[in-house]
């Protein structure tokens, strides 16, 4: 399961820039990685785990702006088409899962 956070936050005042920075740093602290500008993603082992991280994002929402949270399966994520210019590149792989014995 992947959780993707897309956001469009104002940066027109010093206070708004601070909220933007705090929101972005919160995503990074919660192990999200930047997929594109203002688009961050994180792999989760289950839907329940994805809900935990979505709740963390909801708890840190800034006062203004727009934030969207999308959850997709590994299979759906693998069907994303990624292009750099006109050249297609492979989609990122899910991190390998740890096995405990």
């Amino acid at each position: 399961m992947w959780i993707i956070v897309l956001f469009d936050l104002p940066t027109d005042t010093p206070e708004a820039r601070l909220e933007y920075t705090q929101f972005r740093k919160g995503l990074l602290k919660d192990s999200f990685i930047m997929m594109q500008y203002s688009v961050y993603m994180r792999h989760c082992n289950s839907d329940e785990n994805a809900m935990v991280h979505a709740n963390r994002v909801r708890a840190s929402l800034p006062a203004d702006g727009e934030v969207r949270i999308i959850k997709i399966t590994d299979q759906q994520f693998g069907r994303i088409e990624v292009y750099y210019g006109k050249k297609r590149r492979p989609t990122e792989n899910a991190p390998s899962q740890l096995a405990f014995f």
Side-chain angles (χ1 to χ4, degrees):
M1 178 72 57
W2 289 86
I3 182 169
I4 302 172
V5 177
L6 306 96
F7 57 94
D8 187 13
L9 303 178
T11 57
D12 55 340
T13 66
E15 296 81 16
R17 283 191 294 279
L18 178 62
E19 282 191 329
Y20 170 91
T21 300
Q22 290 173 335
F23 181 74
R24 184 182 168 279
K25 284 184 178 182
L27 292 174
L28 294 172
K29 184 178 177 185
D30 197 25
S31 300
F32 281 83
I33 58 173
M34 188 171 74
M35 186 175 190
Q36 287 184 212
Y37 292 119
S38 299
V39 180
Y40 285 71
M41 66 182 180
R42 185 187 197 291
H43 187 262
C44 299
N45 292 326
S46 66
D47 188 46
E48 293 80 17
N49 185 246
M51 287 303 298
V52 168
H53 294 285
N55 288 337
R56 287 182 187 164
V57 172
R58 283 187 206 99
S60 67
L61 290 174
D64 200 8
E66 182 177 351
V67 177
R68 295 174 187 242
I69 301 170
I70 301 170
K71 294 187 303 178
I72 61 174
T73 65
D74 286 337
Q75 186 177 20
Q76 291 167 325
F77 186 85
R79 291 192 300 226
I80 293 174
E81 294 184 16
V82 180
Y83 293 91
Y84 290 90
K86 292 188 178 193
K87 185 174 182 176
R88 184 166 185 201
R89 293 209 179 155
T91 306
E92 298 90 341
N93 292 325
S96 58
Q97 296 184 9
L98 297 174
F100 294 99
F101 298 96

